Amino acid sequence: MNKLRQPFYIMFHPIEGYEEMRWNKSGSIEVSCLILIIWFMTEVIEHQLTGFIFNHNRPYSLNPLLVFSSTIIAFLLFTGSNWAFTTLMDGEGSFENIVIYCAYALVPYIIVTLVVVVLSRVLILQEGIFLSWLKALGILWSMVLVFCALAVVHQYSYGKALGSIFLTLIGMLIILFIAVLIASLFQQVAVFLRTIYNEMMYRL
């Protein structure tokens, strides 16, 4: 199967597609990186080009760093946390495989989001409920694919896969908490060193 066609096949045949990819080792890290880049660009497009009737964002308020953090960084945080916990739970998936499988699961969300952006420029306000339902469908679709991806890549039962996702989310919160503590510590050290430097310069 062509590597670029594989994510679209998995959209409609998740278990079969992921199992085939696992046995044939046909997942592509290059395609996964391409999907992540397209996801980042899709979020930017949604922020900037959604029809003005449905767009509550100010075009000049776009913060690429914030979008990058909410997409690529969040994705790596999720996959890294999942790898850390599943290593302790006899999971068979490597970090690279987790990244590949989960990246492929983002394709439905990306496609639906782009469709929503296009429709938002032609629909009227009273028809906005259809956009909300369509966006919810894209999110749910990708969530189901992520669930299937983790079940297959780690060779877990559905119950164990669900438990691993719960632990992954807890791990993400722990990592974020530690990151905030470290950032706060470095900030305090920087302020302390700056104060000492200013005091020395004043006395000299």
Side-chain angles (χ1 to χ4, degrees):
M1 185 182 300
N2 186 286
K3 289 184 178 181
L4 291 176
R5 290 174 51 196
Q6 199 166 33
F8 298 98
Y9 178 80
I10 289 174
M11 282 178 59
F12 302 101
H13 308 88
I15 298 297
E16 181 182 347
Y18 280 128
E19 285 287 0
E20 180 180 344
M21 189 167 67
R22 176 175 174 269
W23 285 108
N24 296 332
K25 302 186 187 310
S26 56
S28 171
I29 191 65
E30 293 81 7
V31 173
S32 301
C33 291
L34 178 62
I35 292 173
L36 292 177
I37 293 172
I38 294 175
W39 180 29
F40 169 76
M41 295 173 60
T42 298
E43 294 299 321
V44 173
I45 291 172
E46 182 184 27
H47 186 283
Q48 296 296 96
L49 299 181
T50 298
F52 70 92
I53 297 178
F54 307 101
N55 194 348
H56 303 293
N57 302 309
R58 297 179 179 179
Y60 54 82
S61 67
L62 176 66
N63 185 342
L65 184 59
L66 182 60
V67 177
F68 184 82
S69 298
S70 63
T71 53
I72 310 300
I73 299 300
F75 178 86
L76 294 177
L77 187 61
F78 176 85
T79 52
S81 176
N82 181 262
W83 173 77
F85 276 102
T86 54
T87 299
L88 303 176
M89 298 169 61
D90 299 323
E92 297 185 9
S94 64
F95 178 69
E96 180 180 347
N97 285 337
I98 297 172
V99 169
I100 293 173
Y101 283 48
C102 290
Y104 283 22
L106 295 172
V107 172
Y109 174 79
I110 293 172
I111 293 176
V112 169
T113 300
L114 293 175
V115 171
V116 167
V117 171
V118 173
L119 292 179
S120 71
R121 304 184 70 84
V122 296
L123 296 182
I124 61 176
L125 184 61
Q126 289 74 13
E127 298 170 329
I129 186 64
F130 296 107
L131 298 182
S132 299
W133 281 106
L134 193 58
K135 189 67 180 291
L137 173 64
I139 295 173
L140 181 61
W141 196 345
S142 283
M143 288 176 63
V144 170
L145 292 188
V146 168
F147 176 77
C148 294
L150 295 179
V152 172
V153 73
H154 295 302
Q155 289 297 285
Y156 283 167
S157 64
Y158 291 146
K160 193 171 183 179
L162 188 61
S164 71
I165 292 175
F166 177 72
L167 291 176
T168 296
L169 297 177
I170 293 178
M172 293 175 66
L173 294 177
I174 294 174
I175 293 172
L176 287 174
F177 178 73
I178 294 175
V180 170
L181 285 181
I182 293 176
S184 177
L185 178 62
F186 274 107
Q187 183 179 14
Q188 293 178 13
V189 171
V191 171
F192 176 71
L193 293 177
R194 188 181 302 114
T195 302
I196 294 178
Y197 173 78
N198 292 335
E199 185 68 21
M200 290 178 60
M201 294 299 295
Y202 175 75
R203 292 183 179 277
L204 293 177

